[in-house]
Amino acid sequence: MIRSASNQDEIRHSENDSLLDALIPAKSCDVTQMSPTTLAYVGDAVYELYVRSRYAWPSRRTTAYRDIVVGIVRAETQSEFLLKLLLYSSEEAKGKKDETFDTPLLSAEELNICRRGRNAVGKNSGRTPKRLGADQNVYQDSTAWEALLGYLYITDAVRCKEILEWAGTQMPPIR
């Protein structure tokens, strides 16, 4: 790519910037003004990149990568992850935890983002993928999962990483 001297500073980041710095939304981004579907759109990209990166080694054929990744990023798997987090974050479960319990609890704010994400694709939205048939709940749950990840990616990268790492413990082993 040929760059002119006049715009090179705009394109080039300082040596102190990381790739993550380039990927984070502008500080002027007001997450409270973003729709749950926009948060889910961002969360979908974050989750897919996490899964792709996780399974990129050892080297495989591209079709093998695709089969692994598609199996994990599909709505059904995302729904399972969300339901586990919601179950472990419920009031009944909070009193039953012991030191070996390693599932992160969702805060009230995170639970609200999940609720908003789930409600963003209501039962009559007509957006449910055909392969899910009539199971709108799975699609709503997966949208809530993606909205949570999108929200955390924008507002709290450390917490986003914590949730992704927990999800990684629920995924098939890397082989």
mmCIF file of all heavy atoms in Angstrom, residues 113-145:
data_model
loop_
_atom_site.group_PDB
_atom_site.id
_atom_site.type_symbol
_atom_site.label_atom_id
_atom_site.label_comp_id
_atom_site.label_asym_id
_atom_site.label_seq_id
_atom_site.Cartn_x
_atom_site.Cartn_y
_atom_site.Cartn_z
ATOM 1 N N ILE A 113 -27.963 -6.572 30.375
ATOM 2 C CA ILE A 113 -27.527 -6.606 28.968
ATOM 3 C C ILE A 113 -28.020 -7.899 28.319
ATOM 4 O O ILE A 113 -28.511 -7.892 27.176
ATOM 5 C CB ILE A 113 -25.996 -6.481 28.859
ATOM 6 C CG1 ILE A 113 -25.540 -5.093 29.304
ATOM 7 C CG2 ILE A 113 -25.509 -6.798 27.452
ATOM 8 C CD1 ILE A 113 -26.045 -3.941 28.465
ATOM 9 N N CYS A 114 -27.925 -9.001 29.033
ATOM 10 C CA CYS A 114 -28.419 -10.284 28.500
ATOM 11 C C CYS A 114 -29.922 -10.211 28.232
ATOM 12 O O CYS A 114 -30.394 -10.659 27.181
ATOM 13 C CB CYS A 114 -28.123 -11.421 29.480
ATOM 14 S SG CYS A 114 -26.380 -11.846 29.596
ATOM 15 N N ARG A 115 -30.650 -9.631 29.164
ATOM 16 C CA ARG A 115 -32.101 -9.490 28.990
ATOM 17 C C ARG A 115 -32.419 -8.643 27.765
ATOM 18 O O ARG A 115 -33.253 -9.022 26.931
ATOM 19 C CB ARG A 115 -32.726 -8.865 30.247
ATOM 20 C CG ARG A 115 -34.236 -8.689 30.168
ATOM 21 C CD ARG A 115 -34.785 -7.839 31.300
ATOM 22 N NE ARG A 115 -34.178 -6.519 31.389
ATOM 23 C CZ ARG A 115 -34.447 -5.496 30.590
ATOM 24 N NH1 ARG A 115 -35.314 -5.625 29.614
ATOM 25 N NH2 ARG A 115 -33.833 -4.333 30.744
ATOM 26 N N ARG A 116 -31.726 -7.528 27.634
ATOM 27 C CA ARG A 116 -31.943 -6.656 26.474
ATOM 28 C C ARG A 116 -31.592 -7.364 25.174
ATOM 29 O O ARG A 116 -32.310 -7.247 24.176
ATOM 30 C CB ARG A 116 -31.121 -5.376 26.610
ATOM 31 C CG ARG A 116 -31.641 -4.416 27.656
ATOM 32 C CD ARG A 116 -30.801 -3.142 27.744
ATOM 33 N NE ARG A 116 -30.731 -2.482 26.455
ATOM 34 C CZ ARG A 116 -29.635 -1.884 25.981
ATOM 35 N NH1 ARG A 116 -28.532 -1.848 26.684
ATOM 36 N NH2 ARG A 116 -29.656 -1.292 24.807
ATOM 37 N N GLY A 117 -30.490 -8.092 25.179
ATOM 38 C CA GLY A 117 -30.082 -8.826 23.981
ATOM 39 C C GLY A 117 -31.087 -9.889 23.606
ATOM 40 O O GLY A 117 -31.425 -10.073 22.429
ATOM 41 N N ARG A 118 -31.588 -10.588 24.618
ATOM 42 C CA ARG A 118 -32.567 -11.646 24.374
ATOM 43 C C ARG A 118 -33.863 -11.062 23.817
ATOM 44 O O ARG A 118 -34.466 -11.611 22.902
ATOM 45 C CB ARG A 118 -32.833 -12.395 25.678
ATOM 46 C CG ARG A 118 -33.561 -13.678 25.486
ATOM 47 C CD ARG A 118 -33.638 -14.454 26.798
ATOM 48 N NE ARG A 118 -33.943 -15.840 26.549
ATOM 49 C CZ ARG A 118 -35.073 -16.282 26.049
ATOM 50 N NH1 ARG A 118 -36.022 -15.447 25.704
ATOM 51 N NH2 ARG A 118 -35.271 -17.570 25.865
ATOM 52 N N ASN A 119 -34.278 -9.942 24.369
ATOM 53 C CA ASN A 119 -35.527 -9.316 23.936
ATOM 54 C C ASN A 119 -35.406 -8.621 22.584
ATOM 55 O O ASN A 119 -36.421 -8.314 21.953
ATOM 56 C CB ASN A 119 -36.017 -8.318 24.985
ATOM 57 C CG ASN A 119 -36.488 -9.000 26.243
ATOM 58 O OD1 ASN A 119 -36.784 -10.194 26.257
ATOM 59 N ND2 ASN A 119 -36.534 -8.251 27.338
ATOM 60 N N ALA A 120 -34.190 -8.369 22.141
ATOM 61 C CA ALA A 120 -33.990 -7.663 20.866
ATOM 62 C C ALA A 120 -34.454 -8.490 19.678
ATOM 63 O O ALA A 120 -34.776 -7.943 18.630
ATOM 64 C CB ALA A 120 -32.522 -7.286 20.694
ATOM 65 N N VAL A 121 -34.462 -9.791 19.831
ATOM 66 C CA VAL A 121 -34.940 -10.672 18.764
ATOM 67 C C VAL A 121 -36.149 -11.429 19.296
ATOM 68 O O VAL A 121 -36.085 -12.599 19.618
ATOM 69 C CB VAL A 121 -33.840 -11.638 18.259
ATOM 70 C CG1 VAL A 121 -32.819 -10.883 17.450
ATOM 71 C CG2 VAL A 121 -33.166 -12.381 19.383
ATOM 72 N N GLY A 122 -37.239 -10.716 19.384
ATOM 73 C CA GLY A 122 -38.464 -11.284 19.936
ATOM 74 C C GLY A 122 -38.996 -12.443 19.120
ATOM 75 O O GLY A 122 -38.546 -12.735 18.014
ATOM 76 N N LYS A 123 -39.966 -13.093 19.681
ATOM 77 C CA LYS A 123 -40.524 -14.297 19.073
ATOM 78 C C LYS A 123 -41.108 -14.056 17.689
ATOM 79 O O LYS A 123 -41.189 -14.948 16.885
ATOM 80 C CB LYS A 123 -41.572 -14.892 19.994
ATOM 81 C CG LYS A 123 -40.972 -15.359 21.309
ATOM 82 C CD LYS A 123 -41.755 -16.490 21.881
ATOM 83 C CE LYS A 123 -41.207 -16.948 23.187
ATOM 84 N NZ LYS A 123 -40.020 -17.737 23.127
ATOM 85 N N ASN A 124 -41.501 -12.837 17.397
ATOM 86 C CA ASN A 124 -42.108 -12.546 16.096
ATOM 87 C C ASN A 124 -41.163 -11.779 15.170
ATOM 88 O O ASN A 124 -41.602 -11.166 14.217
ATOM 89 C CB ASN A 124 -43.391 -11.738 16.296
ATOM 90 C CG ASN A 124 -44.417 -12.525 17.078
ATOM 91 O OD1 ASN A 124 -44.559 -13.727 16.879
ATOM 92 N ND2 ASN A 124 -45.104 -11.862 17.993
ATOM 93 N N SER A 125 -39.867 -11.808 15.473
ATOM 94 C CA SER A 125 -38.927 -11.012 14.677
ATOM 95 C C SER A 125 -38.704 -11.592 13.288
ATOM 96 O O SER A 125 -38.282 -10.886 12.389
ATOM 97 C CB SER A 125 -37.582 -10.898 15.398
ATOM 98 O OG SER A 125 -36.912 -12.142 15.385
ATOM 99 N N GLY A 126 -38.931 -12.891 13.119
ATOM 100 C CA GLY A 126 -38.711 -13.521 11.830
ATOM 101 C C GLY A 126 -37.245 -13.709 11.493
ATOM 102 O O GLY A 126 -36.887 -13.983 10.355
ATOM 103 N N ARG A 127 -36.364 -13.566 12.482
ATOM 104 C CA ARG A 127 -34.926 -13.656 12.241
ATOM 105 C C ARG A 127 -34.335 -15.024 12.566
ATOM 106 O O ARG A 127 -33.149 -15.223 12.384
ATOM 107 C CB ARG A 127 -34.193 -12.621 13.073
ATOM 108 C CG ARG A 127 -34.516 -11.204 12.715
ATOM 109 C CD ARG A 127 -33.673 -10.279 13.553
ATOM 110 N NE ARG A 127 -34.128 -8.913 13.396
ATOM 111 C CZ ARG A 127 -33.733 -7.919 14.154
ATOM 112 N NH1 ARG A 127 -32.889 -8.129 15.128
ATOM 113 N NH2 ARG A 127 -34.180 -6.717 13.945
ATOM 114 N N THR A 128 -35.094 -15.927 13.091
ATOM 115 C CA THR A 128 -34.558 -17.218 13.490
ATOM 116 C C THR A 128 -34.036 -17.982 12.282
ATOM 117 O O THR A 128 -34.750 -18.156 11.302
ATOM 118 C CB THR A 128 -35.639 -18.074 14.188
ATOM 119 O OG1 THR A 128 -36.198 -17.316 15.251
ATOM 120 C CG2 THR A 128 -35.053 -19.354 14.741
ATOM 121 N N PRO A 129 -32.774 -18.439 12.341
ATOM 122 C CA PRO A 129 -32.251 -19.234 11.231
ATOM 123 C C PRO A 129 -33.107 -20.477 10.990
ATOM 124 O O PRO A 129 -33.598 -21.092 11.936
ATOM 125 C CB PRO A 129 -30.845 -19.626 11.704
ATOM 126 C CG PRO A 129 -30.490 -18.604 12.727
ATOM 127 C CD PRO A 129 -31.781 -18.219 13.380
ATOM 128 N N LYS A 130 -33.282 -20.847 9.744
ATOM 129 C CA LYS A 130 -34.151 -21.979 9.409
ATOM 130 C C LYS A 130 -33.705 -23.268 10.068
ATOM 131 O O LYS A 130 -34.525 -24.088 10.453
ATOM 132 C CB LYS A 130 -34.216 -22.157 7.895
ATOM 133 C CG LYS A 130 -34.994 -21.056 7.223
ATOM 134 C CD LYS A 130 -35.104 -21.273 5.741
ATOM 135 C CE LYS A 130 -35.848 -20.091 5.131
ATOM 136 N NZ LYS A 130 -35.983 -20.191 3.712
ATOM 137 N N ARG A 131 -32.384 -23.466 10.245
ATOM 138 C CA ARG A 131 -31.921 -24.716 10.827
ATOM 139 C C ARG A 131 -32.360 -24.879 12.278
ATOM 140 O O ARG A 131 -32.380 -25.976 12.812
ATOM 141 C CB ARG A 131 -30.411 -24.857 10.707
ATOM 142 C CG ARG A 131 -29.637 -23.921 11.539
ATOM 143 C CD ARG A 131 -28.140 -24.144 11.395
ATOM 144 N NE ARG A 131 -27.406 -23.103 12.050
ATOM 145 C CZ ARG A 131 -27.290 -22.965 13.360
ATOM 146 N NH1 ARG A 131 -27.857 -23.834 14.156
ATOM 147 N NH2 ARG A 131 -26.613 -21.978 13.868
ATOM 148 N N LEU A 132 -32.733 -23.756 12.932
ATOM 149 C CA LEU A 132 -33.218 -23.845 14.305
ATOM 150 C C LEU A 132 -34.699 -24.177 14.362
ATOM 151 O O LEU A 132 -35.226 -24.427 15.438
ATOM 152 C CB LEU A 132 -32.957 -22.530 15.051
ATOM 153 C CG LEU A 132 -31.506 -22.174 15.305
ATOM 154 C CD1 LEU A 132 -31.402 -20.830 16.007
ATOM 155 C CD2 LEU A 132 -30.801 -23.248 16.106
ATOM 156 N N GLY A 133 -35.344 -24.146 13.229
ATOM 157 C CA GLY A 133 -36.765 -24.454 13.198
ATOM 158 C C GLY A 133 -37.554 -23.472 14.041
ATOM 159 O O GLY A 133 -37.390 -22.272 13.943
ATOM 160 N N ALA A 134 -38.376 -24.006 14.897
ATOM 161 C CA ALA A 134 -39.237 -23.159 15.719
ATOM 162 C C ALA A 134 -38.593 -22.781 17.049
ATOM 163 O O ALA A 134 -39.229 -22.176 17.887
ATOM 164 C CB ALA A 134 -40.556 -23.887 15.981
ATOM 165 N N ASP A 135 -37.330 -23.144 17.260
ATOM 166 C CA ASP A 135 -36.691 -22.904 18.548
ATOM 167 C C ASP A 135 -36.143 -21.490 18.653
ATOM 168 O O ASP A 135 -34.935 -21.252 18.586
ATOM 169 C CB ASP A 135 -35.585 -23.934 18.802
ATOM 170 C CG ASP A 135 -35.226 -24.017 20.271
ATOM 171 O OD1 ASP A 135 -35.675 -23.144 21.042
ATOM 172 O OD2 ASP A 135 -34.499 -24.946 20.638
ATOM 173 N N GLN A 136 -37.040 -20.557 18.825
ATOM 174 C CA GLN A 136 -36.683 -19.146 18.946
ATOM 175 C C GLN A 136 -35.865 -18.887 20.205
ATOM 176 O O GLN A 136 -35.027 -17.994 20.230
ATOM 177 C CB GLN A 136 -37.963 -18.298 18.954
ATOM 178 C CG GLN A 136 -37.726 -16.810 19.062
ATOM 179 C CD GLN A 136 -37.114 -16.211 17.819
ATOM 180 O OE1 GLN A 136 -37.259 -16.745 16.731
ATOM 181 N NE2 GLN A 136 -36.426 -15.107 17.973
ATOM 182 N N ASN A 137 -36.073 -19.669 21.255
ATOM 183 C CA ASN A 137 -35.342 -19.461 22.509
ATOM 184 C C ASN A 137 -33.829 -19.575 22.310
ATOM 185 O O ASN A 137 -33.066 -18.815 22.888
ATOM 186 C CB ASN A 137 -35.804 -20.439 23.583
ATOM 187 C CG ASN A 137 -37.190 -20.124 24.080
ATOM 188 O OD1 ASN A 137 -37.602 -18.970 24.094
ATOM 189 N ND2 ASN A 137 -37.917 -21.147 24.468
ATOM 190 N N VAL A 138 -33.401 -20.534 21.519
ATOM 191 C CA VAL A 138 -31.972 -20.707 21.257
ATOM 192 C C VAL A 138 -31.413 -19.459 20.578
ATOM 193 O O VAL A 138 -30.346 -18.963 20.953
ATOM 194 C CB VAL A 138 -31.712 -21.970 20.398
ATOM 195 C CG1 VAL A 138 -30.285 -22.000 19.866
ATOM 196 C CG2 VAL A 138 -32.014 -23.227 21.188
ATOM 197 N N TYR A 139 -32.130 -18.943 19.627
ATOM 198 C CA TYR A 139 -31.668 -17.753 18.913
ATOM 199 C C TYR A 139 -31.639 -16.540 19.847
ATOM 200 O O TYR A 139 -30.696 -15.756 19.835
ATOM 201 C CB TYR A 139 -32.558 -17.491 17.701
ATOM 202 C CG TYR A 139 -32.052 -16.371 16.822
ATOM 203 C CD1 TYR A 139 -30.803 -16.456 16.202
ATOM 204 C CD2 TYR A 139 -32.807 -15.233 16.612
ATOM 205 C CE1 TYR A 139 -30.327 -15.434 15.395
ATOM 206 C CE2 TYR A 139 -32.343 -14.202 15.807
ATOM 207 C CZ TYR A 139 -31.104 -14.315 15.208
ATOM 208 O OH TYR A 139 -30.635 -13.299 14.413
ATOM 209 N N GLN A 140 -32.646 -16.407 20.681
ATOM 210 C CA GLN A 140 -32.677 -15.302 21.634
ATOM 211 C C GLN A 140 -31.511 -15.412 22.627
ATOM 212 O O GLN A 140 -30.862 -14.420 22.945
ATOM 213 C CB GLN A 140 -34.000 -15.286 22.389
ATOM 214 C CG GLN A 140 -35.169 -14.836 21.533
ATOM 215 C CD GLN A 140 -36.464 -14.893 22.309
ATOM 216 O OE1 GLN A 140 -36.890 -15.952 22.766
ATOM 217 N NE2 GLN A 140 -37.092 -13.741 22.459
ATOM 218 N N ASP A 141 -31.252 -16.622 23.111
ATOM 219 C CA ASP A 141 -30.148 -16.821 24.052
ATOM 220 C C ASP A 141 -28.802 -16.517 23.409
ATOM 221 O O ASP A 141 -27.931 -15.904 24.028
ATOM 222 C CB ASP A 141 -30.136 -18.260 24.587
ATOM 223 C CG ASP A 141 -31.311 -18.577 25.477
ATOM 224 O OD1 ASP A 141 -31.975 -17.635 25.980
ATOM 225 O OD2 ASP A 141 -31.579 -19.777 25.683
ATOM 226 N N SER A 142 -28.616 -16.960 22.173
ATOM 227 C CA SER A 142 -27.332 -16.714 21.510
ATOM 228 C C SER A 142 -27.134 -15.223 21.248
ATOM 229 O O SER A 142 -26.016 -14.712 21.355
ATOM 230 C CB SER A 142 -27.208 -17.524 20.219
ATOM 231 O OG SER A 142 -28.124 -17.081 19.248
ATOM 232 N N THR A 143 -28.204 -14.518 20.945
ATOM 233 C CA THR A 143 -28.110 -13.065 20.761
ATOM 234 C C THR A 143 -27.760 -12.393 22.084
ATOM 235 O O THR A 143 -26.956 -11.456 22.124
ATOM 236 C CB THR A 143 -29.418 -12.492 20.180
ATOM 237 O OG1 THR A 143 -29.700 -13.161 18.950
ATOM 238 C CG2 THR A 143 -29.305 -10.992 19.932
ATOM 239 N N ALA A 144 -28.324 -12.878 23.176
ATOM 240 C CA ALA A 144 -28.001 -12.338 24.499
ATOM 241 C C ALA A 144 -26.521 -12.577 24.820
ATOM 242 O O ALA A 144 -25.838 -11.689 25.350
ATOM 243 C CB ALA A 144 -28.886 -12.987 25.556
ATOM 244 N N TRP A 145 -26.012 -13.778 24.513
ATOM 245 C CA TRP A 145 -24.597 -14.104 24.726
ATOM 246 C C TRP A 145 -23.700 -13.143 23.944
ATOM 247 O O TRP A 145 -22.746 -12.584 24.472
ATOM 248 C CB TRP A 145 -24.348 -15.558 24.308
ATOM 249 C CG TRP A 145 -22.927 -15.980 24.195
ATOM 250 C CD1 TRP A 145 -22.209 -16.149 23.045
ATOM 251 C CD2 TRP A 145 -22.026 -16.313 25.261
ATOM 252 N NE1 TRP A 145 -20.924 -16.567 23.334
ATOM 253 C CE2 TRP A 145 -20.790 -16.669 24.686
ATOM 254 C CE3 TRP A 145 -22.153 -16.340 26.650
ATOM 255 C CZ2 TRP A 145 -19.688 -17.042 25.443
ATOM 256 C CZ3 TRP A 145 -21.049 -16.714 27.407
ATOM 257 C CH2 TRP A 145 -19.836 -17.065 26.803
#
